[in-house]
Amino acid sequence: MTSSRPAWIHLAKSLASGGSDFLSRACPAWRRSLAAGVKPAFPPGLVVQVKALACELPHRLGLPLSRLSIEEIRQHVIAQGLVAEISGATLWRWLSSDALRPWQHRSWVFPRDPNFAAKAAPVLDLYHRVWEGAPLGADEFVISADEKTSIQARRRKQPTLPPAPNRPTRVEHEYFRGGAWVYLAAWDVHRARVFGRCESQNGIAAVDRLVGEVMSQEPYRSARRVFWIMDNCSVHRGQRAADRFRAQWPNAVLIHTPTHASWLNQVEIYFSIVQRKVLTPNDFSSLADLEQRLLGFQVHYERTASPFKWTFTRNDLQALLAKLNTTRLAPAA
């Protein structure tokens, strides 16, 4: 069985020259150039159709693919009779003009928290040093904190070889497992300071030790308020966690991000840096070696660190949620 042609593909008759009857009729200038013996440019209509094809999911085109490559687009365009021949370089140029890359994909999650906007907006305000419509004072601070769990210490079965001329660093594929740490970190959003510790397991006690380490230091100890932005992990979820924070540190205010919104927590940016700069490749002789590297990187990073340039605002959030709502309500093709 063959699938029916998409509505935007017109039937075309092949000419003796190998061109398309539809294209020659659609563009008189193209036909005149062909008669004059000049190698013609492709008509604008074909460019539009190719871009429309690139914006389709492959299965809707009847193709057993998950993504389209340049070569697959070229083959499909020819098979559909849109053109007798075309180069991949030409297709690349057309798609690049609109930054179309159908061979790429990225994962994403629709907001599922029914109170997403109400929970996310205060977090965004704090990143811009605003709380309940008023600017934060000089004695108020914003901390973003979370845990990076199950960081393994992998000791390679053969020593890692350093880079050499015409040879990158070589890391043995097989390894011995040396245990794992939970790495807890707190990022001072506006002062670009990072605090962290390694724990054998996650839990309320481990989180309280991290918070206590920060809150026992100046300027946080004597601050008017210290806002702690954290997710909804079970060890710091809900009002009970907020009350626990306030009972131990009266000037600590726990603010939760919405469910499934780790991208709102700035410490995740720091964790991504740690993953790239410290943990990849994973090659540590022991848990102690891994801990030393993680804590040493904090000092190394702070030497040149600056606050993350956070530009996403409450207004941007409202526009994004409106766009996602429109996407949800759009009829399926």
Side-chain angles (χ1 to χ4, degrees):
M1 296 178 64
T2 58
S3 61
S4 59
R5 296 172 184 263
W8 51 267
I9 293 183
H10 299 271
L11 294 174
K13 297 180 180 178
S14 296
L15 301 176
S17 63
S20 166
D21 178 57
F22 162 72
L23 295 178
S24 63
R25 286 187 288 104
C27 187
W30 190 90
R31 187 173 66 250
R32 288 194 299 270
S33 295
L34 186 63
V38 178
K39 186 177 181 180
F42 292 101
L46 176 63
V47 180
V48 172
Q49 289 182 313
V50 168
K51 291 181 178 180
L53 187 152
C55 291
E56 281 288 350
L57 295 175
H59 72 270
R60 293 181 179 176
L61 300 173
L63 298 174
L65 303 169
S66 59
R67 291 176 288 169
L68 290 172
S69 68
I70 286 289
E71 178 58 23
E72 286 155 352
I73 293 174
R74 192 186 75 84
Q75 292 174 4
H76 192 71
V77 166
I78 295 173
Q80 292 297 319
L82 295 178
V83 68
E85 187 56 59
I86 191 169
S87 70
T90 297
L91 293 174
W92 182 283
R93 185 173 67 253
W94 293 352
L95 298 182
S96 295
S97 67
D98 284 330
L100 291 172
R101 303 178 183 90
W103 49 88
Q104 294 183 353
H105 79 283
R106 60 179 294 185
S107 300
W108 69 320
V109 178
F110 271 100
R112 284 179 282 189
D113 193 317
N115 299 313
F116 192 95
K119 294 179 181 179
V123 174
L124 296 175
D125 287 346
L126 285 172
Y127 288 161
H128 293 88
R129 296 198 59 81
V130 174
W131 177 250
E132 295 181 342
L136 296 184
D139 59 347
E140 294 179 298
F141 303 91
V142 179
I143 303 291
S144 170
D146 201 2
E147 309 90 48
K148 187 173 178 64
T149 59
S150 300
I151 303 178
Q152 294 186 32
R154 296 175 177 176
R155 180 167 60 86
R156 302 293 162 170
K157 292 187 176 181
Q158 295 295 329
T160 294
L161 299 179
N166 297 316
R167 190 193 73 193
T169 300
R170 288 184 176 175
V171 182
E172 167 64 39
H173 176 70
E174 294 186 321
Y175 56 85
F176 299 101
R177 297 179 185 271
W181 285 123
V182 176
Y183 178 49
L184 300 92
W187 168 256
D188 188 319
V189 170
H190 302 112
R191 299 175 68 235
R193 291 203 61 195
V194 60
F195 308 87
R197 60 186 301 115
C198 293
E199 297 277 355
S200 58
Q201 61 183 9
N202 198 16
I204 292 176
V207 171
D208 286 354
R209 281 191 285 270
L210 172 68
V211 178
E213 178 183 337
V214 177
M215 297 301 292
S216 63
Q217 301 181 38
E218 294 294 353
Y220 313 104
R221 180 170 53 194
S222 58
R224 180 188 172 201
R225 286 182 298 192
V226 181
F227 296 91
W228 284 79
I229 298 172
M230 305 183 86
D231 63 17
N232 292 275
C233 172
S234 59
V235 297
H236 39 71
R237 178 190 300 159
Q239 188 59 43
R240 290 181 62 182
D243 294 341
R244 186 179 85 244
F245 271 46
R246 182 61 62 89
Q248 298 181 71
W249 308 283
N251 60 342
V253 182
L254 179 58
I255 306 295
H256 290 103
T257 60
T259 305
H260 299 297
S262 60
W263 59 274
L264 280 173
N265 203 345
Q266 282 200 20
V267 74
E268 297 292 347
I269 303 175
Y270 175 71
F271 280 156
S272 71
I273 297 171
V274 170
Q275 183 66 43
R276 294 193 306 271
K277 304 294 288 185
V278 183
L279 302 177
T280 305
N282 188 314
D283 181 17
F284 302 97
S285 61
S286 64
L287 273 178
D289 183 25
L290 172 57
E291 179 181 25
Q292 181 181 10
R293 200 88 59 89
L294 285 168
L295 300 184
F297 180 74
Q298 293 177 181
V299 178
H300 173 81
Y301 182 74
E302 277 193 353
R303 292 172 184 159
T304 57
S306 59
F308 299 128
K309 187 177 180 181
W310 189 275
T311 60
F312 196 79
T313 66
R314 180 190 286 257
N315 291 336
D316 295 322
L317 173 66
Q318 294 298 333
L320 175 61
L321 293 179
K323 180 179 179 180
L324 294 178
N325 189 51
T326 301
T327 303
R328 281 198 190 96
L329 298 177

